[in-house]
Amino acid sequence: MSDLSDELIDDVSYLNPEDKDRHGCVTAWLILMIIAGVVTTGLYLFMGDLIQESSPEPIPKWALYAMTFIGMVNIGFAVLILQWKKIGFYGFAMMSVITFILNVFMGQDMMTSLMGFLGVLILYAILQINGRLGKSTWEYLE
């Protein structure tokens, strides 16, 4: 029985060549991005005063609102990637640039500010993982 199930799992010839295939790690990462975005956005939205008080540098109220907005937009971009839209990746990268500028403007050190780009690099690398059909998610994005 095990040989038959292994054979069925390895045989992808029944799939339509136009079907899109995403590795499970890619899906898991995108879902993690959405969950982290919801948590982060919630923190900025509902605990902004606490974040301001605990920050070594003063954070203007408008910056908290901007970070809340960026978090919500990033959730939308992750959903777009789940829906096979490349614009989601480019939007996420654009938000990282805006976040970098905000961090520098708010007085964060350069290394901390640059760490935001690490998320874009990780996302790009994960989108390169091949699915069962031998193509990466990046190749399927429209």
Side-chain angles (χ1 to χ4, degrees):
M1 182 73 175
S2 177
D3 292 333
L4 178 60
S5 63
D6 289 343
E7 205 172 295
L8 289 174
I9 290 171
D10 291 337
D11 180 20
V12 294
S13 62
Y14 63 90
L15 293 172
N16 183 343
E18 295 173 5
D19 286 343
K20 294 180 180 178
D21 179 45
R22 174 175 36 235
H23 193 279
C25 289
V26 177
T27 303
W29 184 259
L30 292 171
I31 291 170
L32 181 65
M33 283 178 58
I34 292 168
I35 293 169
V38 168
V39 169
T40 303
T41 301
L43 288 173
Y44 280 120
L45 191 59
F46 299 113
M47 300 184 83
D49 293 336
L50 183 62
I51 292 170
Q52 280 183 310
E53 291 171 12
S54 63
S55 175
E57 296 291 324
I59 299 174
K61 196 74 162 173
W62 65 265
L64 289 174
Y65 294 137
M67 297 304 275
T68 302
F69 175 76
I70 289 169
M72 289 188 287
V73 170
N74 278 340
I75 293 166
F77 287 138
V79 170
L80 284 172
I81 297 170
L82 276 172
Q83 296 174 342
W84 307 102
K85 305 294 183 197
K86 197 176 276 188
I87 190 74
F89 175 81
Y90 293 127
F92 185 75
M94 182 181 66
M95 288 297 112
S96 293
V97 170
I98 292 169
T99 302
F100 169 78
I101 293 167
L102 278 173
N103 283 336
V104 170
F105 185 75
M106 289 187 303
Q108 293 289 334
D109 63 276
M110 192 56 67
M111 192 54 128
T112 302
S113 298
L114 287 171
M115 292 300 286
F117 293 116
L118 188 59
V120 176
L121 294 175
I122 291 170
L123 176 59
Y124 182 77
I126 287 177
L127 291 173
Q128 302 307 311
I129 299 172
N130 287 344
R132 294 175 296 161
L133 299 178
K135 289 178 75 176
S136 70
T137 301
W138 182 260
E139 293 175 87
Y140 287 114
L141 295 179
E142 302 168 354

